[in-house]
Amino acid sequence: MAEDIKTKIKNYKTAPFNSRFPNQNQTRNCWQNYLHFHRCEKAMTAKGGDVSACEWYHCVYKSLCPISWVSKWDDRRRAEGMFPRKI
Amino acid sequence: MVAGASLLSSRRTSAAAMLRQILLQAKKHPSLIPLFIFIGAGGTGAALYLMRLAMFNPDVSWDRKNNPEPWNKLGPNDQYKFYSVNVDYSKLKKEGPEF
C-alpha cells in the first residue's frame, strides 16, 4: 500500500477525477485536499507513521489551488486561532 | 372575469380546496386542462428537485456540528449526477492514503 502510493506520487501528472466534486467548480476539491494534507501530516507525525505518503494530497492541492489562496491559508494556519477548520 | 370571480369566492387556501377549485375551472373551461397539467408537472418537478437537493446533495449540511463535511461521505464509486458523459464510475478507486 505504501509502495502503491509512492509509485502513484512518482507518476503524478495532475489531479484525478474525484466523485465528491463532479462539477466545474473545484474550489471545494482544492480546499479539501489542502485540509487533508495538513491533517495527514499532523496525524502521521503524532502516530509516528510515514509522512511522505501524505505527499499525494500536497501534489493534488498544488495542481488545483491558486497560489494566492495557498499562501493566505498558510499565513492563517500559522497565526493562532485564525484558521476556520480544525487541523 | 368569470375565473376572477370564482377565485374570490373560495378563500380557503388548503391543497384540497385548490384542487377542487382547479376541477371546477376545468369543468367550466375544458380548454384549460393542458395548462393545469403542465403547470402541475412543472411545479411538482421543481418541488421534487428541491427535496433531492435538500436531502442528498453532498454540499448541503443541515447540522453543522454533527455533519461538518458531508461531501466526504460520498465513496469513489457514488454518482450524484443524473447522467455522466465520460466518466465510468465503476472503475474509480479511492485516491490518497488513509490517516
Side-chain angles (χ1 to χ4, degrees), chain A residues 1 5 8 16-17 19-23 28 31-32 35-36 39-40 43-44 47 53-54 56-57 85, chain B residues 58-60 64 68-69 71-78 80-81 87 89 92 94-99:
Chain A
M1 191 57 216
I5 279 287
K8 270 210 297 199
F17 176 79
S19 69
R20 292 172 291 174
F21 316 104
N23 294 317
R28 204 157 244 164
W31 174 241
Q32 188 60 64
L35 282 184
H36 261 325
R39 286 179 182 162
C40 178
M44 287 301 197
K47 275 197 314 203
C54 304
W56 172 261
Y57 297 121
R85 288 276 185 284
Chain B
D59 285 331
V60 164
R64 278 239 281 222
E69 293 176 357
W71 55 88
N72 279 330
K73 302 226 162 67
L74 272 184
N77 284 338
D78 292 342
Y80 177 72
K81 295 177 102 154
V87 180
Y89 276 80
L92 299 174
K94 178 173 174 11
E95 311 280 347
E98 296 281 341
F99 55 91

Side-chain angles (χ1 to χ4, degrees), chain A residues 14-44:
Chain A
T14 188
F17 176 79
N18 197 326
S19 69
R20 292 172 291 174
F21 316 104
N23 294 317
Q24 182 172 352
N25 187 343
Q26 294 288 298
T27 311
R28 204 157 244 164
N29 197 355
C30 144
W31 174 241
Q32 188 60 64
N33 280 295
Y34 182 83
L35 282 184
H36 261 325
F37 174 64
H38 289 100
R39 286 179 182 162
C40 178
E41 227 183 2
K42 184 164 175 208
M44 287 301 197

Side-chain angles (χ1 to χ4, degrees), chain B residues 18-93:
Chain B
M18 283 201 283
L19 277 177
R20 252 187 89 240
Q21 180 72 26
I22 290 174
L23 287 173
L24 284 176
Q25 296 273 10
K27 275 191 229 141
K28 269 198 286 199
H29 308 277
S31 55
L32 284 179
I33 292 180
L35 175 73
F36 293 133
I37 293 178
F38 286 118
I39 300 283
T44 350
L48 284 177
Y49 190 67
L50 262 184
M51 291 315 300
R52 178 190 196 241
L53 278 178
M55 295 196 295
F56 300 121
N57 188 345
D59 285 331
V60 164
S61 168
W62 292 101
D63 182 8
R64 278 239 281 222
K65 205 144 90 147
N66 297 332
N67 191 11
E69 293 176 357
W71 55 88
N72 279 330
K73 302 226 162 67
L74 272 184
N77 284 338
D78 292 342
Q79 177 174 345
Y80 177 72
K81 295 177 102 154
F82 281 132
Y83 176 62
S84 87
V85 186
N86 272 332
V87 180
D88 185 0
Y89 276 80
S90 56
K91 294 215 173 59
L92 299 174
K93 339 187 255 342

